């Protein structure tokens, strides 16, 4: 039989917490405990990376729009402002829903940065993953895409990098032509990716009169999907009050059909007639916002009819993320 390797006696701890370097999972932990890294300090590091952050955009300006651009909107861009300003040689940083070839980020020839929002991310904290990608894009050579990569558990988050005072103002596009500033010189791969993306894009418009409400057109009917910042239980009560009173719709032929959760926020959804465009939603949505504010302010117990309405809304909820 092969001889067993002699066990190394645990020495005194050499490093303080927070100073433990990352090593191989099966290597001895550098803290001197005598255990493998994965069973010692590596356990906490792995848990921190995989633990799901339910509201990754909390604290950012425009949290509801961040959620909408991540889950609802095919083609959109937002100019981002960094704390302390832009680094030298970086004329702009732009958030985009998606980028060609599913790149997480892109450093253009002129030094500007595009950061993709809808890519898969390796950890449970979308904000930390995006911040890591952004940092690598700022350091990338101009004219190069940025590949996906894991992030350290204690790495910065978007909340650490972005200017909290800057407005978050999405620009909605009908297609993905913003990918290519010079279409004539694009590669065949990028051109093909652009064509496929444009074919799959659902026409979408952001309403101007209320926050984070997005109209979209589908072959059979249109929809309004409205990302709301209110606590879920309070919002369900308010919507139930309106539904029981017959005032939860956006007009004739429209219907509140349910809601879904995304990144810690609720997104109520209305079915609309195919003839009802985005402009037609503006006035009804503003009226609904007023009624909803009044319902949110009520602390009266729900009536039996309101409880039934709430149960129906709850049964039609789904969770996207």
């Amino acid at each position: 039989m092969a001889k067993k390797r002699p066990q190394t006696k645990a020495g005194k701890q050499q490093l303080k917490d927070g100073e433990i370097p990352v090593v191989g999972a099966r290597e001895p932990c550098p803290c001197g405990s005598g255990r493998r890294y994965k069973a010692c300090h590596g356990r906490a590091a792995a848990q921190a990376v995989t633990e799901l952050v339910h509201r990754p955009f909390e604290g950012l300006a425009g949290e509801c729009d961040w959620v909408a651009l991540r889950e609802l909107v095919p083609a959109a861009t937002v100019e981002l402002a960094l704390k302390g300003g832009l680094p030298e040689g970086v004329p702009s940083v732009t958030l985009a829903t998606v980028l060609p070839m599913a790149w997480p980020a892109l450093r253009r020839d002129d030094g500007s940065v595009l950061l993709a929002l809808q890519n898969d991310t390796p950890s449970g904290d979308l904000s930390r993953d995006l911040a890591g990608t952004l940092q690598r894009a700022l350091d990338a050579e101009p004219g190069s895409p940025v590949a996906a990569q894991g992030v350290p558990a204690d790495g910065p988050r978007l909340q650490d990098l972005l200017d909290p005072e800057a407005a978050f103002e999405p620009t909605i596009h009908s297609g993905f032509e913003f990918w290519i500033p010079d279409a004539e010189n694009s590669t065949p791969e990028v051109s093909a990716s652009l064509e496929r993306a444009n074919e799959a894009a659902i026409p979408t418009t952001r309403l101007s009169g209320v926050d984070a409400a997005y109209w979209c057109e589908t072959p059979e009917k249109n929809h309004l999907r409205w990302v709301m910042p209110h606590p879920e239980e309070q919002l369900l009560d308010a919507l139930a009050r309106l539904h029981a009173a017959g005032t939860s719709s956006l007009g004739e032929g429209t219907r509140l059909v349910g809601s879904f959760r995304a990144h810690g926020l609720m997104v109520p959804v209305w079915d609309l007639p195919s003839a009802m465009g985005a402009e037609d939603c503006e006035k009804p949505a503003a009226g609904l916002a007023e009624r909803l504010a009044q319902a949110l302010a009520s602390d009266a117990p729900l009536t039996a009819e309101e409880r039934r309405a709430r149960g129906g809304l709850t049964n039609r909820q789904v969770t996207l993320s």
Side-chain angles (χ1 to χ4, degrees):
M1 294 178 63
K3 294 182 179 179
K4 293 184 178 179
R5 294 182 180 177
Q7 296 294 319
T8 303
K9 292 184 179 180
K12 295 182 180 180
Q13 184 164 329
Q14 301 296 317
L15 299 172
K16 298 178 181 179
D17 288 344
E19 296 178 342
I20 306 301
V22 176
V23 298
R26 301 177 65 85
E27 294 181 288
C29 188
C31 75
S33 67
R35 291 184 293 173
R36 290 176 177 175
Y37 177 70
K38 70 176 183 179
C40 192
H41 281 82
R43 180 181 297 172
Q47 182 179 359
V49 171
T50 58
E51 186 176 357
L52 179 63
V53 176
H54 291 281
R55 286 183 66 179
F57 306 120
E58 185 176 15
L60 292 175
E63 179 187 6
C64 293
D65 284 306
W66 276 94
V67 172
L69 267 57
R70 168 72 182 185
E71 300 295 341
L72 307 178
V73 182
T77 55
V78 185
E79 294 299 312
L80 298 180
L82 306 185
K83 289 182 179 179
L86 296 171
E88 185 178 356
V90 180
S92 64
V93 174
T94 303
L95 181 73
T97 46
V98 292
L99 291 177
M101 315 299 291
W103 289 326
L106 172 66
R107 184 87 185 270
R108 281 179 163 163
D109 291 334
D110 65 354
S112 60
V113 167
L114 289 176
L115 175 67
L117 181 57
Q118 294 183 10
N119 286 54
D120 292 334
T121 53
S123 84
D125 187 350
L126 179 56
S127 177
R128 197 180 308 280
D129 290 328
L130 289 167
T133 301
L134 175 56
Q135 285 188 313
R136 289 186 288 113
L138 293 172
D139 293 334
E141 290 295 324
S144 60
V146 176
Q149 183 176 312
V151 295
D154 59 351
R157 307 178 74 238
L158 289 174
Q159 289 82 347
D160 301 316
L161 302 183
L162 301 183
D163 182 354
E165 303 300 324
F168 189 82
E169 300 176 348
T171 299
I172 311 302
H173 303 276
S174 59
F176 296 88
E177 283 72 20
F178 65 86
W179 284 355
I180 310 172
D182 185 6
E184 294 182 356
N185 295 323
S186 64
T187 66
E189 292 83 1
V190 170
S191 296
S193 183
L194 172 63
E195 184 176 353
R196 290 193 300 269
N198 281 343
E199 289 176 353
I202 296 175
T204 301
T205 301
R206 183 179 187 270
L207 300 193
S208 60
V210 294
D211 292 333
Y214 289 81
W215 170 93
C216 68
E217 179 184 9
T218 61
E220 295 183 359
K221 63 183 70 174
N222 299 338
H223 305 279
L224 184 71
R225 300 177 289 188
W226 195 339
V227 187
M228 296 187 173
H230 317 291
E232 181 174 331
E233 296 302 314
Q234 183 184 3
L235 180 55
L236 281 171
D237 283 352
L239 290 173
R241 296 181 196 277
L242 297 184
H243 204 61
T247 59
S248 64
S249 76
L250 295 168
E252 184 178 355
T254 71
R255 184 168 66 100
L256 173 62
V257 293
S259 63
F260 58 87
R261 303 181 189 91
H263 306 291
L265 299 183
M266 266 189 64
V267 188
V269 179
W270 285 262
D271 278 352
L272 311 173
S274 58
M276 189 172 186
E279 292 185 358
D280 301 322
C281 293
E282 292 284 2
K283 186 175 180 179
L288 179 64
E290 293 180 1
R291 298 194 298 274
L292 182 62
Q294 295 175 357
L296 286 166
S298 174
D299 57 2
L302 296 180
T303 66
E305 187 176 358
E306 290 168 347
R307 288 197 300 271
R308 286 193 294 271
R310 193 186 195 282
L313 291 171
T314 302
N315 290 336
R316 296 194 297 273
Q317 274 188 312
V318 296
T319 300
L320 294 186
S321 54

